[in-house]
Amino acid sequence: MYPKILAAHPLVVELKKDLRLRCEKLKNRGIIPSMCVVLVGDNPASLTYIKNKQKVCEEIGAHFKLVQMPASVKAQDFLNQLHQLNHDHSVHGIIIQLPVTESLKNLNIPNLVTPEKDIDGFNGANTQAIYTGTTNLQLLIPCTPKGIINLLNYYGITLDGKHVVVIGRSLIVGKPLSMLLSNLNATVTLAHSKTKNLKQITQTADVIVSAIGKSEFITPDYLGHSQQILIDVGINNLDGKLTGDVSKEAQEKALAYTPVPGGVGPMTVISLIENLITATENQVKG
Ligand code: NDP
């Protein structure tokens, strides 16, 4: 039986150890895995997320670089910068920090990073693997879905035949996660803001994943019985405090839940670093 709180920490410690070793092996060949984050503007939340990525990157011995462009940047200059990074052999992983500014929203952002360096796993060439049925978590697939599945695996929570309700259908979380879960033989309901009778649906789930972005949205009445598992993806600010989407009362009613902070967030970051090391290994295969 798994613990009530599905904390990321013990798994993150294990994964970091493994990633440090892989990084060391590359360094012994004269290759320093290098991540570059492209940030447009100075959104404070984005800067916090970037700092987290930088910290873990440096902890495992990889190199980190931030390219910050003004919010007023012209689309062509932004594209030129990405072209240059895509062709820079000293950079192995590139992230375009989301959200981008309004003036860049018409660009095909997910496909601007070359698939080999797409450590976010958003490029169509990488997401295709998920949409065609892969269950291989070693591929460059989106980090939050990958982190969630790794965490469930770690705690021995099986998905085969389970009913999983994913709330939120974004390109970075809900959509790829629901496909990955389906590949793992879960029966998936993908809910969103237009879903009717959401509570009735979540009450029948074995696992509820909330990726909405609304503090304390999941209250005990969303749960139907005491054997349900709650995966809280939300990152919200409630009166200056970091909160997830799940209320304390709902956590208490559940069989197990991921905490915020300390659950899906660290799993997302470590999955990103894992993608960086994988991308580097793939690029220098000889
Ligand atoms: P988006 O804003 O892109 O998507 C939110 C989704 O929630 C949409 O699909 C929306 O539906 C749905 N939604 C909104 N209100 C309701 C409602 N009342 N009932 C049902 N569904 C609703 O968000 P993201 O996917 O980018 O992120 C979601 C949350 O997860 C945020 O808090 C974000 O900060 C966090 N996050 C956390 C990560 C982590 O590592 N822990 C990583 C990425 C995100 P519709 O499509 O109809 O508008």
Side-chain angles (χ1 to χ4, degrees):
M1 188 40 83
Y2 20 86
K4 172 121 179 155
I5 302 178
L6 306 172
H9 184 70
L11 176 55
V12 168
V13 169
E14 271 184 26
L15 291 173
K16 268 188 197 163
K17 205 168 140 196
D18 174 58
L19 290 173
R20 255 189 227 110
L21 284 175
R22 287 168 66 186
C23 193
E24 204 50 51
K25 272 193 189 161
L26 287 161
K27 283 180 161 176
N28 289 341
R29 294 169 56 196
I31 301 143
I32 304 176
S34 172
M35 174 192 292
C36 180
V37 178
V38 179
L39 171 67
V40 179
D42 57 0
N43 180 320
S46 293
L47 285 163
T48 306
Y49 297 143
I50 291 169
K51 263 194 195 148
N52 290 341
K53 292 168 190 174
Q54 176 170 8
K55 183 171 166 274
V56 184
C57 209
E58 291 173 351
E59 267 174 30
I60 67 128
H63 185 255
F64 177 90
K65 172 169 132 176
L66 173 65
V67 172
Q68 192 166 4
M69 309 179 87
S72 59
V73 68
K74 291 199 173 76
Q76 193 53 53
D77 293 336
F78 177 73
L79 291 172
N80 290 345
Q81 177 67 72
L82 278 161
H83 180 82
Q84 191 248 312
L85 290 169
N86 278 334
H87 290 87
D88 181 343
H89 292 299
S90 70
V91 173
H92 306 99
I94 304 169
I95 296 166
I96 301 172
Q97 185 66 42
L98 300 175
V100 292
T101 46
E102 214 44 57
S103 59
L104 303 179
K105 283 210 168 128
N106 287 335
L107 298 176
N108 185 359
I109 296 290
N111 289 324
L112 292 182
V113 174
T114 190
E116 300 76 39
K117 298 188 181 186
D118 170 39
I119 55 174
D120 264 331
F122 296 157
N123 189 301
N126 289 322
T127 51
Q128 195 193 18
I130 297 185
Y131 294 98
T132 51
T134 194
T135 55
N136 182 358
L137 297 176
Q138 312 305 320
L139 298 176
L140 299 184
I141 55 174
C143 301
T144 305
K146 177 175 177 156
I148 291 172
I149 303 296
N150 265 329
L151 191 67
L152 291 170
N153 285 344
Y154 177 75
Y155 281 110
I157 298 168
T158 55
L159 292 158
D160 207 312
K162 299 270 174 70
H163 179 207
V164 184
V165 176
V166 177
I167 318 172
R169 56 178 164 180
S170 72
L171 274 175
I172 63 170
V173 186
K175 280 203 178 98
L177 177 63
S178 59
M179 282 293 154
L180 201 50
L181 288 163
S182 166
N183 300 345
L184 290 159
N185 294 330
T187 301
V188 184
T189 304
L190 181 56
H192 45 76
S193 68
K194 306 291 186 293
T195 299
K196 292 204 170 88
N197 305 321
L198 180 58
K199 284 181 190 170
Q200 284 170 27
I201 297 169
T202 54
Q203 281 168 5
T204 65
D206 297 301
V207 179
I208 303 169
V209 180
S210 184
I212 303 175
K214 290 186 178 161
S215 200
E216 298 181 356
F217 183 92
I218 303 293
T219 44
D221 46 339
Y222 279 83
L223 276 68
H225 54 88
S226 59
Q227 297 302 304
Q228 291 177 296
I229 292 167
L230 303 179
I231 306 297
D232 193 348
V233 182
I235 298 179
N236 311 300
N237 183 330
L238 185 67
D239 304 327
K241 197 172 155 246
L242 171 65
T243 63
D245 288 351
V246 177
S247 73
K248 201 167 174 301
E249 294 74 20
Q251 289 178 342
E252 274 161 18
K253 187 171 173 182
L255 178 66
Y257 66 91
T258 60
V260 178
V264 175
M267 287 311 303
T268 298
V269 177
I270 200 75
S271 300
L272 182 74
I273 309 298
E274 196 180 324
N275 278 353
L276 170 69
I277 299 300
T278 302
T280 310
E281 289 167 346
N282 291 344
Q283 284 163 52
V284 300
K285 245 183 216 157

